[in-house]
Amino acid sequence: MVANSAVLISRRSRASKLSPEKRREQLLRCGLKVFALRGIGSARHAEIAEEAGVAVPTVFSYFPTREVLVRDVLAEVDAFLTQALLSALDNGNSVFEKFLLVTRTFSESVTSAPDVIKIWLDWSTAMHDETWPQYETLQNKMVTRFADVIREGQSNGELHEAVNPEIAAYMVVSGGPMIAQMKLTKRSPEFINEYLNTLVHGALMSDADG
């Protein structure tokens, strides 16, 4: 018993050497893992403390309430997706290439950041939860930026003026859950790539394009 206590004290002593900024980063990483495993509605401070190897009060000192904890973990999901997808959008030459890069980046994120994507999937279905306004903010940010790119494509003649920018943007966004499902159920890369091409073509094509 004494030996076990000594180990516990030693672990907490080592943990306390992290700066407040690094400790918060660590707790958020652990939060992403716990939220992905347990779900937004079930994850608790104690589970994050166990994952991080710290005392429960340490987690509460950074996230005083469950509402703050949930808000900040979801803000990490928002930040990851915003940076990844909007950066991808800036790298293509044509509008089609830009959106294909966006969908491919999201697809790759299912493998490279599975906890983020699992939380996002859970979050996207929580319409009656207090977290929904935060999700709407993320979605509206994406739709607005995507629609702006589509309008740019119309202004330079790449896309037909009959394309509705907002509807096209929503079509691309709506492909996210299916992309994640395909990746998580291990559909072939060739099948997923064909889906991504079809999704983007469908979103950007108007009836006038035939």
Side-chain angles (χ1 to χ4, degrees):
M1 182 68 177
V2 173
N4 289 340
S5 298
V7 170
L8 181 61
I9 291 170
S10 176
R11 285 177 179 171
R12 290 179 181 171
S13 177
R14 287 197 299 271
S16 67
K17 293 180 181 178
L18 288 177
S19 68
E21 294 78 12
K22 293 296 184 182
R23 174 68 67 210
R24 189 174 188 278
E25 290 176 8
Q26 178 208 26
L27 294 177
L28 283 171
R29 287 196 304 271
C30 292
L32 288 171
K33 185 172 182 178
V34 171
F35 272 60
L37 179 66
R38 298 277 291 144
I40 295 172
S42 300
R44 295 291 184 269
H45 286 71
E47 294 164 318
I48 294 170
E50 182 178 0
E51 179 67 29
V54 300
V56 175
T58 299
V59 184
F60 273 100
S61 70
Y62 287 87
F63 311 101
T65 66
R66 175 167 161 73
E67 289 72 22
V68 171
L69 175 64
V70 172
R71 181 199 67 197
D72 289 358
V73 169
L74 295 183
E76 286 292 293
V77 175
D78 181 317
F80 176 89
L81 291 173
T82 298
Q83 194 280 328
L85 301 185
L86 296 189
S87 292
L89 195 66
D90 290 336
N91 288 329
N93 294 316
S94 68
V95 177
F96 176 80
E97 287 178 354
K98 288 176 182 290
F99 281 103
L100 193 57
L101 279 171
V102 166
T103 58
R104 284 177 176 166
T105 298
F106 184 86
S107 177
E108 291 164 2
S109 296
V110 179
T111 301
S112 64
D115 291 343
V116 168
I117 301 303
K118 288 175 182 177
I119 295 169
W120 175 80
L121 286 171
D122 185 18
W123 192 13
S124 69
T125 62
M127 293 184 65
H128 301 294
D129 193 84
E130 65 274 9
T131 64
W132 184 250
Q134 197 175 351
Y135 178 82
E136 281 192 304
T137 298
L138 169 60
Q139 179 171 268
N140 290 339
K141 175 169 50 180
M142 292 298 172
V143 168
T144 298
R145 182 68 185 103
F146 291 176
D148 286 344
V149 171
I150 293 166
R151 291 188 184 94
E152 291 169 10
Q154 290 174 316
S155 67
N156 64 29
E158 281 188 66
L159 300 178
H160 198 282
E161 62 181 12
V163 174
N164 185 312
E166 190 172 8
I167 289 177
Y170 271 111
M171 287 178 68
V172 173
V173 170
S174 70
M178 185 54 66
I179 295 169
Q181 180 180 318
M182 289 179 180
K183 291 283 287 189
L184 292 170
T185 56
K186 303 190 184 306
R187 296 303 300 261
S188 72
E190 295 77 15
F191 185 89
I192 293 172
N193 189 57
E194 183 177 352
Y195 173 76
L196 299 182
N197 277 274
T198 302
L199 172 66
V200 175
H201 270 299
L204 301 181
M205 185 185 299
S206 74
D207 292 338
D209 292 318

